[in-house]
Amino acid sequence: MIYTVPHYYKEFRCIAGDCGDTCCAGWQIMIDDKSLEKYRKASGGLGNRLANSIRWDEKRFRQYAGRCAFLNDDNLCDLYSEGGPGMLCRTCREYPRHTEEFEGCREISLSLSCEEAARIILGCEEPVRFVTKERPGEESYPDFDFFLYTKLADSRELMIGLLQRRELPVSLRISMVLALAHDLQRRIGRGELFAVDGLLSRYGAPGAPERFAAKLGKYRLDARERGGRMQELFGVFGELEVLKKYWPEYVKGLERLLYADGTAGCTGYAEGAGYAASRRAFLAQNQRSLALWAEQLMVYFVFTYYCGAVYDGRAYEKIRFAVAGTLLILEMAQAIWQRNGAVRPLGLENVVEAAHRYSKEVEHSDDNLRSMERMVGSWDAFRLERLLEVISGICD
């Protein structure tokens, strides 16, 4: 079995009670069968507490005021402190690690939903490298389409390589990746996987970025028009299951800061200033950092989700999901900048706030992931041309 992780993977250490948003509150913590059996056999005071703190029929810990029954007032886990690390269930042992499984390969990443993991991912200033290690053991996946998987893996390698070409504008890099996924999806749909190698050669050829940039000239919006498009994209939040009680009002507050007059106007930056003026000031202060964060967000989403298209054939939807997440997180970060007074550059902690809150709502609900995939596949706002227009102003 081959294991692949980003190079910063081992940097993660849980900061426990110092975390500003504990992972033990606000969502259901499911318990694996092996841990359930261990909990049934536990004795003494801890055993009694376990018996009363688990919804055995639903295989999850009980919650009180939205907090796990074992989360104490210091935001520490009593199950860990009283029983040791061996008493943690698989969910608590593994989080914030995320695993994608393929035949002969496991890919493990950190999740943006964890503040500390988001700090590592977005605080990384160098291009992400991926480290592989082979260990004994294999798992069989019936009907696994290994040929499709190899084409997805090859195209993902090219996509990440394009995203990390820092001599190019980040809007061009993201646009090329989106267009590549669009073209590759057509070949998947027509059953022409044999033609993928030629497609990859075309996108990876010398001079390809310059030729592609020449075609992107028509996909430009002024700042106010872009604000209207981003307000459309914000509409996805109203279609999702609410996981955190604070989320609806939180995201509505950000939306009001950005688009206060309903037409991409904004009063959060200065009295009477519109979205366009706010956007110009935001880019002037934060352009370099935004390019880095856009790159790291795209690499995160592409690595984590793209090759999962081997199971459903929806490669283009996976990339549109990545683009949507990147655009929305950075737009949320602009609102946070405005909320903080719009007088100093956006800090890492601000974009971490946006990323981890977005991730908690979107990435940790199968229903929400399915809803996002449905929306990016059907909403007019996520058509190729409209996304290219929005991407053109991401930070350039």
Side-chain angles (χ1 to χ4, degrees):
M1 180 73 72
I2 296 174
Y3 291 78
T4 303
V5 299
H7 76 272
Y8 51 66
Y9 176 76
K10 291 188 177 180
E11 292 179 23
F12 175 76
R13 297 290 185 276
C14 178
I15 59 176
D18 292 330
C19 184
D21 187 9
T22 175
C23 57
C24 304
W27 48 21
Q28 305 294 344
I29 300 176
M30 308 307 295
I31 307 172
D32 59 285
D33 290 339
K34 186 175 180 180
S35 296
L36 273 176
E37 188 61 27
K38 184 191 302 181
Y39 297 158
R40 289 185 193 278
K41 295 177 180 178
S43 59
L46 183 58
N48 289 335
R49 187 173 174 186
L50 280 163
N52 294 318
S53 299
I54 294 174
R55 291 293 301 267
W56 300 94
D57 56 331
E58 299 179 11
K59 299 183 179 181
R60 64 176 178 84
F61 288 107
R62 292 183 182 274
Q63 288 192 325
Y64 301 102
R67 295 165 61 87
C68 175
F70 282 94
L71 183 64
N72 64 33
D73 292 340
D74 295 320
N75 279 345
L76 299 174
C77 175
D78 285 340
L79 185 58
Y80 181 94
S81 60
E82 295 178 26
M87 288 300 289
L88 295 180
C89 66
R90 181 185 302 157
T91 299
C92 296
R93 284 198 311 271
E94 294 184 354
Y95 182 80
R97 299 159 188 88
H98 174 91
T99 302
E100 292 286 325
E101 304 219 4
F102 309 101
E103 187 166 314
C105 179
R106 282 186 183 153
E107 298 181 345
I108 310 174
S109 54
L110 299 177
S111 174
L112 280 173
S113 61
C114 166
E115 277 190 8
E116 183 62 16
R119 201 169 285 115
I120 292 170
I121 294 166
L122 294 167
C124 179
E125 296 192 0
E126 60 184 306
V128 181
R129 305 181 308 279
F130 294 93
V131 181
T132 61
K133 181 178 289 188
E134 190 166 2
R135 295 177 181 171
E138 288 287 336
E139 291 188 28
S140 178
Y141 290 77
D143 302 320
F144 186 83
D145 190 338
F146 198 78
F147 187 45
L148 173 58
Y149 175 72
T150 60
K151 300 308 175 187
L152 291 169
D154 290 345
S155 58
R156 184 180 64 177
E157 182 177 359
L158 176 58
M159 288 174 178
I160 291 176
L162 286 170
L163 289 169
Q164 294 179 334
R165 289 191 59 178
R166 295 184 176 180
E167 76 277 12
L168 303 174
V170 73
S171 59
L172 173 60
R173 295 180 253 161
I174 296 174
S175 295
M176 288 187 71
V177 167
L178 179 66
L180 171 56
H182 172 271
D183 294 349
L184 186 142
Q185 187 67 53
R186 288 185 171 181
R187 286 152 179 79
I188 293 175
R190 295 195 297 251
E192 297 176 351
L193 291 179
F194 60 86
V196 170
D197 289 347
L199 178 68
L200 302 186
S201 295
R202 179 155 57 88
Y203 272 84
E210 290 75 17
R211 290 191 293 272
F212 197 87
K215 297 178 181 179
L216 284 177
K218 61 182 178 180
Y219 299 109
R220 302 292 300 185
L221 297 173
D222 64 33
R224 187 173 181 81
E225 290 173 319
R226 186 182 186 277
R229 296 287 183 82
M230 285 305 307
Q231 189 171 13
E232 286 184 64
L233 297 190
F234 253 70
V236 303
F237 294 134
E239 303 293 320
L240 301 179
E241 172 193 17
V242 175
L243 301 186
K244 287 279 196 176
K245 290 182 179 180
Y246 69 75
W247 172 254
E249 186 53 39
Y250 174 80
V251 77
K252 285 178 184 175
L254 298 185
E255 189 172 4
R256 285 192 294 269
L257 281 168
L258 290 163
Y259 323 112
D261 65 4
T263 56
C266 168
T267 57
Y269 169 63
E271 187 63 28
Y275 178 92
S278 178
R279 183 71 185 170
R280 285 192 293 271
F282 179 65
L283 294 180
Q285 284 192 15
N286 301 289
Q287 190 171 36
R288 182 179 178 277
S289 296
L290 287 170
L292 173 64
W293 291 327
E295 173 191 318
Q296 300 298 34
L297 286 167
M298 281 295 298
V299 170
Y300 164 82
F301 284 120
V302 172
F303 175 71
T304 303
Y305 294 104
Y306 177 69
C307 281
V310 71
Y311 298 114
D312 60 18
R314 297 173 180 171
Y316 185 37
E317 276 78 0
K318 302 293 188 290
I319 296 302
R320 283 193 282 186
F321 172 78
V323 171
T326 300
L327 289 169
L328 286 166
I329 288 170
L330 293 182
E331 194 80 351
M332 290 169 64
Q334 179 179 335
I336 292 168
W337 171 80
Q338 293 175 201
R339 183 195 68 193
N340 293 346
V343 294
R344 65 185 66 179
L346 188 71
L348 175 62
E349 292 303 315
N350 301 138
V351 76
V352 165
E353 175 188 333
H356 105 270
R357 289 179 186 256
Y358 172 92
S359 177
K360 272 200 163 185
E361 287 299 314
V362 174
E363 294 190 83
H364 288 275
S365 163
D366 289 339
D367 287 342
N368 284 346
L369 285 171
R370 285 191 290 268
S371 294
M372 281 292 293
E373 190 157 294
R374 172 184 57 79
M375 288 184 281
V376 300
S378 61
W379 281 24
D380 188 61
F382 293 103
R383 285 192 296 109
L384 176 64
E385 296 81 2
R386 290 177 71 86
L387 281 178
L388 289 175
E389 288 172 340
V390 176
I391 291 168
S392 70
I394 192 168
C395 68
D396 303 335

